[in-house]
Amino acid sequence: MVAGLIDRGLSKCIDVGLLLVMCGIVGYYGNDEAAEKIYRGLKRLEYRGYDSAGIATAGNPSIKVEKGEGTIDEVSEAEIDGTSGIGHTRWATHGGVNDRNAHPHTDCGEEIAVVHNGIINNYEGLKEKLKNRGHSFSSETDTEVVPHMLEEKMEEGLTLKEALMDVEERLEGSYAIAAVLKTGEMVAVKQDSPLAIGVNGSEKFLASDVTPFLEHTSKAIFLEDGDVVEFNGKLEIYNQREPVEREIQEVDWDAEQASKEGHDHFMQKEIKEQPKTVKKASFQDKSDLEEAVKMLDKADEIYLTGCGTASFAASLGAKYLEEAGYNVRTEQAHELEYSADSISEDDLVIAVSQSGETADLLSLLDKSPAPTLAVVNAVGSTLARQSDHTLYINAGPEIGVASTKAFTSQLGVLKLLQYASEGEIEEGRQKLLETAEAVEKVLENNKDTIEAISDYFTGKEHAYFIGRDKGYEMADEAALKLKELSYIHAEAFPGGEFKHGTLALVEEGTPVVAFLKDNGYDEIVSNAAEARSRGADLIGVGKNEISSFEYFIEIPDKGLEEIVEVAPFQMIAYLTSVELGHNPDKPRNLAKSVTVK
Ligand code: M6R
């Protein structure tokens, strides 16, 4: 990892193809040293990517840039001064992770620095023209065209804001872009990528979400597509070149929630927070739930969707709503998109997401003519703003890349929706309150077994998870947690499916984890026994211990089982990852908010 001031020798580069990024950006405009505030903000945004990072401050007579491959802690060595500046933390999807591709990028004269989250689709043509006009490029990124385009416009006599307005009209794609000029002026523009502004008197922040500025202010403006913002003494927002007013909203999250509060990792804190967050999930306005039920009742077809962990919540949610008598189709958003033509305006799409920024989900919703009901965590997210109705899961900021408390809160809200549709909101709330207690108990009562299973997994290369009915989604989620954090190969199957092929992989000492639900109990016990006969070590979770299993996690007989069952497996995945020497908050190759398709 190389840190330090921008390498001026890297003006030539090899094109390695389209370089796509999804990242986090931060900006500061005020009276304090910008670099320190931006650094702290970027630490909060690392869940969006941590391949490379950088900060630029306006330090008349030139821009000062510190950037490189690695996390912001690895990059941030030199001190750069200035009271306005921008920063970036990156997750690359194509192309090299290296110092020269790290943001911020500058123009030829190094008077303007730019950070960007998103994709500029037409950057190749723009770059070619800029090169022909004598501009010299240092990176393979799409972003670097922006500072050069701004440079040209300013040479024509435009202000930074006017230049950005002109440049924006020529960009195709999705972007949240922030630029700072050597004199300290700062501007930003948003199109299909999230951008929020934090307002703290004369001090202003901008960021991909509110977490970087929560420690300074809870007042936020969520920008609309096409908004151009100018930070120049005061804050001005324009859309289509006309000044516009945007509401300042009070954000109900606090800085403590976004800190580790004495835990080793965010994930550990977030697992332990669940008794509290499950309770908070039950705090839904009656009128919001009733409005959601009206949408269910009116719909011809109901689609429940999400990606990754949220897709397992969606799939369980579909089973809950089916119990209430609705016909529900569930599929991961990126796959459902291929059937988007069959969704009509009389249907309903229920979109489940923690971040509300997942590109696969937003892309499906773009194509769907049906109204959308969002079940989402991030306040002011694109999903929340674009949906016809929103049920917030109230889990507070989830920073660990692995979804834990967001998953259980999504389940809680979807279960509550089932109760609401049956006219039993209070009973639903009661169930969630019992669940909160049961989660605390299951973690406490099984502490030793959880640690023993984690130890056991550290010596394994493969693990299989099986379940029937709602146990299948639990198996899916437990396997996903283990593989994404420990890098142990873990797969989930319906218990009935296991013997149709995968059983061939079981040999002496292969771990098989079985979720033993009442529905299909005898069958899943038989499926586990079939694996045992081929040498598997059995790990079980259920209400009644089976002594012949190597390990068993007994869950209390109250609360919403799915939430209670998953919590120990979140902890097992966490501990296994730590024991193996990995960072569970930042699993390799992953980012929390997947804002590219
Ligand atoms: O923000 P979202 O809930 O829409 O994210 C969806 C998935 O990317 C996410 O759940 C992912 O699978 C988790 N990191 C897994 O722990």
Side-chain angles (χ1 to χ4, degrees):
M1 213 293 312
V2 179
L5 297 183
I6 190 167
D7 184 344
R8 284 160 227 281
L10 289 170
S11 56
K12 280 193 195 143
C13 68
I14 309 153
D15 259 315
V16 293
L18 181 61
L19 192 75
L20 303 176
V21 286
M22 52 178 205
C23 339
I25 67 175
V26 178
Y28 174 78
Y29 184 94
N31 305 314
D32 275 351
E33 286 301 332
E36 169 62 15
K37 302 219 167 176
I38 294 166
Y39 161 81
R40 290 172 67 87
L42 289 176
K43 293 282 304 161
R44 301 252 192 253
L45 278 189
E46 277 189 324
Y47 73 85
R48 300 178 73 94
Y50 30 84
D51 290 336
S52 63
I55 296 177
T57 53
N60 228 343
S62 66
I63 285 286
K64 293 175 182 161
V65 181
E66 199 190 345
K67 66 175 188 173
E69 186 184 336
T71 63
I72 187 62
D73 271 336
E74 291 167 305
V75 169
S76 172
E77 283 169 5
E79 282 191 6
I80 51 176
D81 57 359
T83 56
S84 62
I86 53 179
H88 190 268
T89 182
R90 170 176 178 248
W91 186 83
T93 58
H94 292 67
V97 176
N98 54 39
D99 292 342
R100 62 173 186 265
N101 287 335
H103 295 214
H105 295 286
T106 54
D107 64 315
C108 298
E110 287 169 11
E111 297 188 348
I112 307 164
V114 168
V115 289
H116 164 219
N117 170 31
I119 301 163
I120 297 168
N121 294 328
N122 60 335
Y123 86 103
E124 277 172 328
L126 294 169
K127 185 170 177 176
E128 206 44 49
K129 285 184 192 143
L130 286 160
K131 274 182 169 172
N132 292 340
R133 292 198 291 270
H135 290 266
S136 151
F137 282 76
S138 310
S139 76
E140 299 128 38
T141 64
D142 51 347
T143 306
E144 201 185 345
V145 296
V146 179
H148 293 283
M149 289 168 83
L150 290 172
E151 176 187 11
E152 283 195 345
K153 289 290 164 191
M154 292 196 73
E155 275 168 8
E156 287 169 17
L158 301 189
T159 64
L160 182 62
K161 172 196 78 189
E162 291 163 347
L164 185 63
M165 285 171 170
D166 270 23
V167 167
E168 193 223 343
E169 287 169 0
R170 296 174 57 205
L171 300 180
E172 290 165 18
S174 68
Y175 42 82
I177 293 172
V180 67
L181 189 62
K182 65 175 184 180
T183 54
E185 278 170 76
M186 198 165 92
V187 291
V189 61
K190 173 208 152 22
Q191 181 65 46
D192 291 330
S193 285
L195 198 54
I197 292 177
V199 182
N200 185 29
S202 60
E203 205 175 39
K204 308 284 183 301
F205 299 83
L206 67 84
S208 301
D209 70 37
V210 297
T211 50
F213 54 74
L214 277 180
E215 63 178 297
H216 307 287
T217 180
S218 57
K219 292 188 167 40
I221 297 172
F222 296 101
L223 294 177
E224 303 284 331
D225 281 342
D227 281 357
V228 170
V229 194
E230 183 182 30
F231 302 79
N232 186 10
K234 50 194 172 158
L235 180 76
E236 308 267 12
I237 306 178
Y238 302 83
N239 200 299
Q240 310 273 347
R241 296 180 183 264
E242 295 298 324
V244 287
E245 293 286 327
R246 296 280 176 243
E247 188 194 348
I248 299 183
Q249 299 184 30
E250 193 65 34
V251 179
D252 183 25
W253 286 3
D254 61 44
E256 265 218 336
Q257 288 177 306
S259 76
K260 287 189 207 151
E261 291 175 38
H263 292 87
D264 292 337
H265 298 98
F266 280 109
M267 184 181 177
Q268 185 188 31
K269 178 195 149 209
E270 286 158 5
I271 293 171
K272 290 191 179 164
E273 256 180 340
Q274 291 177 109
K276 219 164 46 194
T277 50
V278 168
K279 224 180 261 174
K280 282 187 85 184
S282 75
F283 301 162
Q284 300 292 324
D285 269 356
K286 190 163 175 268
S287 57
D288 279 340
L289 285 169
E290 286 169 350
E291 175 63 32
V293 171
K294 269 192 212 146
M295 294 173 90
L296 292 174
D297 289 343
K298 227 171 92 185
D300 281 353
E301 299 276 347
I302 299 168
Y303 296 84
L304 234 160
T305 188
C307 299
T309 290
S311 78
F312 305 142
S315 184
L316 278 164
K319 291 180 180 172
Y320 298 156
L321 293 181
E322 273 162 6
E323 282 170 359
Y326 297 101
N327 264 330
V328 187
R329 175 170 165 191
T330 180
E331 208 169 357
Q332 287 153 338
H334 37 82
E335 285 302 303
L336 186 54
E337 191 171 336
Y338 296 108
S339 319
D341 283 352
S342 59
I343 303 177
S344 95
E345 56 192 14
D346 299 321
D347 298 337
L348 172 69
V349 176
I350 306 179
V352 184
S353 175
Q354 188 288 127
S355 63
E357 302 296 347
T358 298
D360 289 322
L361 185 60
L362 297 177
S363 168
L364 161 73
L365 297 177
D366 260 3
K367 298 206 170 106
S368 149
T372 305
L373 168 62
V375 176
V376 65
N377 192 32
V379 182
S381 57
T382 307
L383 175 61
R385 284 183 288 111
Q386 290 183 355
S387 293
D388 298 273
H389 187 51
T390 298
L391 297 176
Y392 280 112
I393 63 170
N394 301 333
E398 189 181 68
I399 311 286
V401 164
S403 184
T404 52
K405 62 175 181 171
F407 176 64
T408 48
S409 293
Q410 286 159 356
L411 291 185
V413 170
L414 289 165
K415 191 68 185 176
L416 198 54
L417 186 57
Q418 175 194 341
Y419 275 98
S421 70
E422 292 163 336
E424 296 182 341
I425 295 181
E426 279 321 309
E427 287 80 348
R429 285 208 176 110
Q430 198 45 44
K431 182 90 173 167
L432 291 188
L433 298 185
E434 280 172 16
T435 309
E437 270 176 39
V439 168
E440 197 148 19
K441 270 210 185 113
V442 79
L443 290 173
E444 232 172 73
N445 297 351
N446 293 285
K447 196 165 173 288
D448 292 346
T449 314
I450 288 171
E451 282 170 12
I453 298 174
S454 312
D455 267 356
Y456 164 80
F457 273 137
T458 55
K460 298 291 168 186
E461 283 181 20
H462 308 278
Y464 299 100
F465 290 72
I466 55 174
R468 284 174 175 257
D469 188 30
K470 297 190 196 94
Y472 175 40
E473 283 85 1
M474 303 323 297
D476 261 334
E477 175 56 6
L480 177 58
K481 285 290 92 83
L482 187 67
K483 75 177 115 173
E484 73 176 328
L485 298 172
S486 68
Y487 320 143
I488 294 168
H489 168 236
E491 293 300 328
F493 299 90
E497 190 61 23
F498 199 53
K499 60 185 174 298
H500 292 285
T502 312
L503 196 56
L505 297 175
V506 171
E507 51 190 16
E508 205 55 47
T510 303
V512 172
V513 181
F515 284 81
L516 307 167
K517 301 284 232 178
D518 291 346
N519 212 9
Y521 182 85
D522 291 344
E523 290 84 350
I524 192 77
V525 171
S526 299
N527 299 143
E530 286 147 19
R532 151 64 54 77
S533 313
R534 275 86 188 165
D537 294 338
L538 295 184
I539 299 168
V541 53
K543 283 187 269 193
N544 301 303
E545 176 159 7
I546 302 181
S547 56
S548 60
F549 279 41
E550 269 69 20
Y551 302 97
F552 202 93
I553 293 176
E554 210 174 326
I555 62 159
D557 189 12
K558 64 182 206 174
L560 181 57
E561 270 173 38
E562 288 74 56
I563 293 182
V564 185
E565 286 162 350
V566 79
F569 286 92
Q570 297 169 339
M571 193 55 101
I572 288 167
Y574 167 76
L575 293 173
T576 310
S577 160
V578 173
E579 272 191 60
L580 287 172
H582 307 315
N583 180 348
D585 281 346
K586 294 176 191 160
R588 71 182 181 204
N589 308 337
L590 301 180
K592 185 157 189 70
S593 189
V594 186
T595 55
V596 292
K597 283 188 80 183

